[in-house]
């Protein structure tokens, strides 16, 4: 699913990811180069560890600047819509934010977890264990979230998605804000951005990519991509390596 794939631009070869034992999640590690390019919206939320800190990356509506200071990062990227049940907070409260985990969970619990990860020979595996532990303790996510993602990622209109799920448009919007951090129209744009990038990088001509993604034309595609990514599509496509 496109929304799970990370879009970290301009990173050195220190980025790696693997599927998590937590359904739909990805475990990743990264040591970005100084001046690394922004992280693009992908519909996901992440549990992060970096140099003794535990944080949560909320859902982005715009490109996130990681800053100029190189640091080691590990993360668990949750399938879209599943993190709020684990974290115990609606996604919209974390939209476009990076917050300390201790702001969401009891400080003593976070200190204990942080100590385990700091001491672990493989912080990524230790962070994954935290996510698995929390998933076992928490209520399951809204069962409709995966269906919402699937419908919007397939290009279904918002009204048609609501009808298929037996929801009113306002109900779909409320559930989407809680699960994804924003309404279904924004989620659809974010997922479409990921499809566009995957298609263009696979060598599909931009005019055809625009048509497949449901844009009126290539200029419409370019405006929407720039609005989400903060840079032209051509720069995004040339940012790898």
């Amino acid at each position: 699913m496109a929304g799970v794939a990370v879009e970290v631009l301009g990173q050195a070869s220190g980025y790696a990811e693997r599927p998590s034992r937590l359904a739909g999640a990805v475990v990743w590690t990264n040591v970005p180069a100084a001046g690394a390019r922004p992280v693009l919206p992908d519909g996901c939320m992440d549990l992060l560890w970096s140099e003794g800190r535990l944080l949560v990356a909320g859902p982005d509506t715009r490109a996130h600047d990681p800053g100029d200071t190189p640091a080691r990062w590990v993360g668990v990227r949750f399938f879209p819509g599943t993190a709020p049940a684990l974290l115990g907070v609606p996604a919209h409260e974390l939209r476009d934010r990076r917050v300390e985990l201790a702001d969401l969970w009891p400080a003593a619990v976070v200190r204990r977890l942080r100590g385990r990860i700091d001491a672990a020979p493989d912080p990524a595996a230790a962070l994954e264990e935290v996510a698995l532990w929390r998933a076992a303790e928490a209520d399951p996510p809204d069962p409709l979230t995966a269906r919402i993602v699937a419908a919007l990622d397939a290009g279904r209109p918002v009204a048609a998605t609501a009808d298929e799920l037996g929801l009113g448009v306002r109900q779909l919007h409320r559930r989407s804000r809680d699960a994804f951090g924003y309404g279904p129209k924004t989620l659809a744009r974010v997922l479409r951005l990921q499809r566009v990038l995957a298609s263009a990088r696979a060598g599909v001509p931009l005019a055809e990519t625009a048509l497949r993604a449901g844009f009126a034309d290539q200029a419409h595609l370019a405006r929407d991509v720039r609005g989400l990514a903060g840079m032209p599509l051509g720069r995004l496509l040339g940012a790898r390596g």
Side-chain angles (χ1 to χ4, degrees):
M1 204 286 300
V4 177
V6 66
E7 277 299 339
V8 183
L9 303 180
Q11 303 290 23
S13 58
Y15 180 82
E17 66 177 43
R18 63 171 174 80
S20 172
R21 288 179 288 146
L22 180 64
V26 171
V27 179
W28 57 269
T29 61
N30 190 33
V31 182
R37 294 184 186 274
V39 180
L40 299 186
D42 60 4
C44 302
M45 295 171 61
D46 295 59
L47 179 62
L48 307 171
W49 174 91
S50 180
E51 300 180 354
R53 297 177 67 197
L54 279 171
L55 305 98
V56 174
D60 292 325
T61 60
R62 57 184 180 269
H64 171 73
D65 185 354
D68 293 328
T69 303
R72 182 187 184 191
W73 289 89
V74 302
V76 176
R77 178 171 300 105
F78 301 105
F79 187 84
T82 61
L86 276 64
L87 298 173
V89 61
H92 63 81
E93 294 188 11
L94 303 178
R95 183 173 55 238
D96 293 319
R97 298 176 62 199
R98 271 61 181 162
V99 302
E100 298 286 342
L101 185 60
D103 291 340
L104 307 179
W105 293 1
V109 172
V110 174
R111 282 196 301 271
R112 183 171 67 250
L113 297 174
R114 186 175 59 232
R116 290 178 184 174
I117 298 170
D118 291 349
D122 182 356
L127 187 67
E128 182 183 24
E129 289 295 336
V130 171
L132 289 165
W133 160 74
R134 183 60 182 176
E137 296 287 326
D139 293 332
D142 185 340
L144 287 183
T145 55
R147 295 177 62 191
I148 294 171
V149 172
L152 296 177
D153 198 34
R156 299 272 203 286
V158 169
T161 297
D163 286 343
E164 290 174 12
L165 299 178
L167 299 173
V169 172
R170 290 184 179 179
Q171 287 178 304
L172 176 60
H173 185 83
R174 286 195 298 269
R175 292 175 95 142
S176 294
R177 287 185 76 245
D178 287 345
F180 309 112
Y182 31 64
K185 289 185 179 179
T186 299
L187 177 61
R189 287 184 65 210
V190 167
L191 297 176
R192 184 165 62 173
L193 169 67
Q194 297 291 331
R195 296 199 308 273
V196 164
L197 292 173
S199 176
R201 287 182 175 134
V204 178
L206 291 183
E208 184 177 348
T209 291
L211 182 64
R212 290 183 181 182
F215 289 100
D217 52 33
Q218 193 171 326
H220 181 198
L221 178 153
R223 289 193 301 272
D224 200 61
V225 168
R226 184 161 193 155
L228 285 170
M231 65 181 72
L233 179 59
R235 186 178 171 193
L236 290 178
L237 296 176
R240 294 262 174 161

